[in-house]
Structure formats: structure tokens, C-alpha cells
Amino acid sequence: MKILVPVKRVVDYNIRVRVKADGSGVDLANVKMSMNPFDEIAVEEAMRLKEAGVATEVIAVSCGVVACQETLRTAMAIGADRSVLVETDIELQPLAVAKLLAAVAKKEAPQLIILGKQAIDDDANQTGQMLAALLGWPQATFASKVAIGDGKATVTREVDGGLETLEISLPAVVTTDLRLNEPRYATLPNIMKAKKKPMEIVKPAELGVDVAPRLTTVSVAEPPRRSAGIKVANVAALIDKLRNEARVIA
């Protein structure tokens, strides 16, 4: 079984994001970038399926600028067999990414696509669902457990009321949640080996996909700072402030 794992290059989760002075976007100058944490979980799950003998090949794919090669090398250091970079300098939105991934999937013909449920930069939580719709494949989102067998995937996902277990036919799209696994660290020997693993670079035009943005960012602003808390003398004073200042009670 062949598994396709999309990975995204994002600002490292330990870095405090800064907004540009003109409010046009996020300042990425000299900022540490890394693989989206949810995608790290997806790569780890693909590797566990391969180690269990379920999968025979794991292919990492990323869409974006040349620097995304670093993210793909990280995925291959974790264990992916090879990678595909859809290189473009255009800012990619979820639908464009889904179309690019669908084109790559049609070319590679995987039996399973597993990716993070969302990216920590835009928190869109759209790409996996759009990808499944474009391919016409069944999908299971927010997976906290995945089992493959007999041409089907059994996926346990967390919902508001507890756990829900779905059985879907392969090929399928699965998006990962935080509780699915704990990603391994790439060892130095595997990092060196990843440099020799094959990486294919293609352009969106070669895949026949128009990635022109459909949305325009009007402005980006940091959230307002929280005001300092205050102490009140008694319950009556608290209720008065909640009613007349905060206006959260009638």
C-alpha cells in the first residue's frame, strides 16, 4: 500500500508571531520555520503503518516555496521514502493546495492520504476535506486512532460526546488529531540519509492547476491586549461590574 503524506512549512510553534508594521501580514523575516505539528503526527502514523507491514511506500509532498525542501527532508529523515515538491512563490490558499494534492494523488495513485487536520498558521481546517471531495474519496477527520485492514480503514475520532468510530473504504483521506501519536525525532544518521533520497520538483502548471488566490487579505492585526484584573470588595460589586461594565449579565 502506498501512503501520501502532505506536509506544510509553518512558523515554528515556539516562536511568537509578529505582525508586519503595515498590517499586510505576518513578519517572516529571520523567523524559524518547521513542519506543521499536525503533519508531523501524520508522518509518524504513516511510518508506523509501514513498520507494521501495512504500507510499502511513504511519499511526502509539500506545496510552496523552495525552502519547503527542508520540510520534505525532515519528513524523509523521519522515514518517508521519497518526496514531491510543488514549487510556487504564490501564496497558496486551502482550495489551491487541495487541487495540487489531488493532482499529485492522481499521478501517484496512493491507497491512503494522511495529513494534519489543520495548519497552525491559518487554522483553516479545510484542505483535507476539500481534497477528499475533489478526489471523490471517503474521509475521516480528527483521527485519534487508525487501523488498516481488508481494504478498509477503521478510524476513531473524538467528538463532543466522546469517541466515534468510522469504517471507510480505501482509497481514503484521513486527517490527524493530536492524540493519534507522539512523533519521533529524526536521528542524525537518518538526516544524512535523507539528503540522498529522491525529491521530485514540479510546477503547478505541470499539474494543470491554477493556484491564483481567490481571497484577498484586507489587514492583519494582533489581538487586543487583555486589561489588568481588579479586585472587588464584595459580591454585589462584582455583579454590578458584570452587569454595567462588562455587560455579560442582564
Side-chain angles (χ1 to χ4, degrees):
M1 184 176 77
K2 185 186 293 186
I3 300 179
L4 193 68
V5 187
V7 294
K8 185 177 183 180
R9 179 176 179 264
V10 299
V11 175
D12 189 90
Y13 69 92
N14 289 309
I15 301 298
R16 183 179 181 277
V17 175
R18 302 187 305 271
V19 175
K20 292 180 180 178
D22 61 0
S24 61
V26 174
D27 186 3
L28 300 180
N30 302 315
V31 173
K32 180 184 177 183
M33 308 292 283
S34 61
M35 187 189 301
N36 178 45
F38 289 102
D39 295 336
E40 288 183 343
I41 294 170
V43 175
E44 173 65 25
E45 191 63 22
M47 294 316 306
R48 293 188 184 191
L49 290 172
K50 184 179 178 183
E51 291 166 354
V54 176
T56 55
E57 185 179 25
V58 176
I59 307 164
V61 57
S62 190
C63 306
V65 296
V66 176
C68 291
Q69 292 186 28
E70 300 172 8
T71 307
L72 290 172
R73 292 294 178 196
T74 300
M76 291 190 288
I78 295 173
D81 298 288
R82 57 187 176 91
S83 63
V84 178
L85 171 61
V86 184
E87 185 184 328
T88 177
D89 292 328
I90 298 175
E91 181 182 353
L92 296 174
Q93 295 171 353
L95 180 58
V97 175
K99 288 181 177 179
L100 291 172
L101 294 177
V104 173
K106 291 174 182 177
K107 179 181 176 182
E108 295 290 347
Q111 285 70 53
L112 178 66
I113 301 177
I114 183 167
L115 67 159
K117 70 172 185 178
Q118 65 193 71
I120 62 172
D121 54 359
D122 58 15
D123 280 329
N125 183 19
Q126 296 175 346
T127 303
Q129 294 89 326
M130 288 177 172
L131 176 59
L134 290 170
L135 292 172
W137 291 5
Q139 61 176 301
T141 56
F142 315 129
S144 59
K145 184 178 180 181
V146 177
I148 306 294
D150 299 325
K152 296 182 181 295
T154 302
V155 179
T156 301
R157 57 195 301 270
E158 295 184 3
V159 295
D160 291 341
L163 298 176
E164 178 182 62
T165 300
L166 304 176
E167 185 179 81
I168 55 178
S169 300
L170 300 178
V173 175
V174 174
T175 69
T176 62
D177 210 341
L178 286 173
R179 292 176 180 80
L180 180 58
N181 59 52
E182 184 175 343
R184 69 191 73 182
Y185 290 101
T187 62
L188 181 58
N190 287 336
I191 292 174
M192 300 306 293
K193 291 177 183 177
K195 295 181 179 180
K196 298 182 179 179
K197 290 184 178 181
M199 178 186 299
E200 180 184 0
I201 300 177
V202 298
K203 301 288 187 180
E206 298 175 43
L207 299 174
V209 178
D210 178 12
V211 295
R214 300 189 174 204
L215 303 175
T216 301
T217 300
V218 177
S219 65
V220 177
E222 293 188 7
R225 295 183 179 275
R226 293 182 60 182
S227 57
I230 61 173
K231 292 183 178 181
V232 294
N234 49 49
V235 174
L238 173 61
I239 294 175
D240 178 68
K241 288 186 177 295
L242 291 176
R243 176 178 292 123
N244 299 315
E245 293 186 17
R247 298 185 184 278
V248 294
I249 61 174

